[in-house]
Amino acid sequence: MEHMEPWRASKALALLRRRPSWAILLAAMTLLTVFTWPLTSPARPDAVPVAVPVVQTGCLGFYQPSPPRAMVASIRDFGGVGDGSTSNTLAFRRAVERLKEFGEKGGSQLTVPHGRWLTGSFNLTSNFTLFLEEGAVILGSQDPTEWPLVEPLPSYGRGRERNGSRHISLIHGNGLSDVVITGQNGSIDGQGRMWWDLWWNRTLKYTRGHLLELMNSKNILIFNLTFLNSPFWTIHPVYCSNVVVKNVTILAPLNSPNTDGIDPDSSSTVCIEDCYIESGDDLVAVKSGWDQYGMAMARPSTNIVIRRVSGTTPTCSGVGIGSEMSGGISNILVQDLHVWDSAAAVRFKTDQGRGGYITNITISNVTMERIKIPIRISRGSNDHPDENWDPKALPRISNIVIANIVGVDIKKAPVLEGIEGTMFDGICFRNVNLSVERSKAKWKCEYVGGEAYDVVPLPCEEFRNSSSSSWCLQT
């Protein structure tokens, strides 16, 4: 963590130290496991196959645990050198290619020992565990050619930042099943400043790569790791299902551009739980494709749980829905969110031309401090993939419940700006208490409607309907 400011590094280390030790956690989880261990011996006598912890609360059932892998190897077995300067790109690629052969023979595990392992991008495989021991750091290469170009996502039609292709993520996978990325609080550091400079200097030719992206994959567990300094979005499951991201710390400088924490995108049955995030963009952003490309693909994000997430982002939100939501977003549960020193705690982002829908969203038990706009619906920045977007494609927002919210030192009341030509309705506020300066305590509402009960400051007229049999009170 030597690239971080001292106060942020000490804060992060304190957070990591508060986690239970891996030995205690592993012992507890082993007692709760519901599967049996295979009798196959590991490939190396000193390489121990790690039992995947069964997630007992919240995320239970999202990921189906597998037995310890039958084949276990170290990156050193493939020529890896953990000195922080030797390139290990070929070592990682050779390792995964070799371990891929054990996918149908009990699976495999690649262990990364203590050290600093510099590498370019590499792909994962199915029935596979990437395990970072304590003190292990995977470092992203500073050579852009080691982040090869790949095709744009079909639900975006082009790179998100630049036309055409995009750089692949540092750790990548496509069409996989049963992938575990875990360890003893090891770290994956994208060393993103090179990429941020390209963005700031306007010399970026292709869209930046993510730190971790999994596509068209299922049964994924990302657990007990720290992710640092991503070039772009940090963890990006896209077109995936049955994904758990738990006990993860994500850190990037607060001025780093577009370093979202976790972005489930056109994905279903996702659980994000017990995570701490500091970034230059949304802590968590739920997405589902961009304008006509997202509408054509029609892959919604649905059945997503976001629970016990905390952190700060000075320019964006704790949880963002959108702005790329053209494939639809539904059935989202956000609980126990803690956000401070941020632009917004909760934000729904969409725009004319997006189409799609946002519906059946429940957000409860949110604590916020020193937030500019606590709850926001915004019309976006009028950004579109190309000139073929349809201005008549208007999004819909409905069936939103926001309850049990507490905010102190809030700069403004909620801002809820819909889009002319469509109503964002069925929005319920219940038990919301925001400490806002009296002069700025007036809500701003346009093209929105719903109900509000026990809300301070007093909501706008569009939310002052009341009834003892209200749907809002019954949810």
Side-chain angles (χ1 to χ4, degrees), residues 138 140-142 147 170 188-192 195 211 228-231:
I138 294 177
S141 171
Q142 297 291 279
W147 302 63
L170 181 66
I188 301 172
D189 187 343
Q191 300 197 107
W195 298 98
L211 196 51
L228 302 163
N229 303 315
S230 178

Side-chain angles (χ1 to χ4, degrees), residues 218-235:
K218 61 183 179 180
N219 210 34
I220 308 298
L221 174 62
I222 303 165
F223 179 76
N224 208 53
L225 290 174
T226 296
F227 293 81
L228 302 163
N229 303 315
S230 178
F232 195 42
W233 306 343
T234 304
I235 299 175

Side-chain angles (χ1 to χ4, degrees), residues 34-55:
V34 294
F35 51 81
T36 58
W37 288 42
L39 299 177
T40 308
S41 298
R44 292 158 33 101
D46 60 336
V48 179
V50 177
V52 175
V54 176
V55 182

Side-chain angles (χ1 to χ4, degrees), residues 270-283:
V270 177
C271 184
I272 300 166
E273 194 173 59
D274 299 311
C275 295
Y276 177 84
I277 305 172
E278 294 182 8
S279 80
D281 213 298
D282 295 325
L283 307 186

Side-chain angles (χ1 to χ4, degrees), residues 53 57 107 109 117 141 269 293 392 404-405 440 457 466:
T57 60
Q109 174 181 308
W117 306 86
S141 171
T269 317
Y293 299 102
K392 296 180 181 179
N404 304 326
I405 311 297
K440 297 181 180 179
S466 62

Side-chain angles (χ1 to χ4, degrees), residues 10 60 70 131 134 140 163 166 173 180 197 233 295 330-331 340 370 386 430 458:
S10 62
L60 182 65
F131 187 87
E134 184 176 1
N163 287 323
R166 62 196 183 102
V180 179
D197 286 341
W233 306 343
M295 286 185 278
S330 66
N331 301 335
W340 58 90
R370 299 176 302 281
D386 54 44
R430 193 174 66 240
L458 192 68

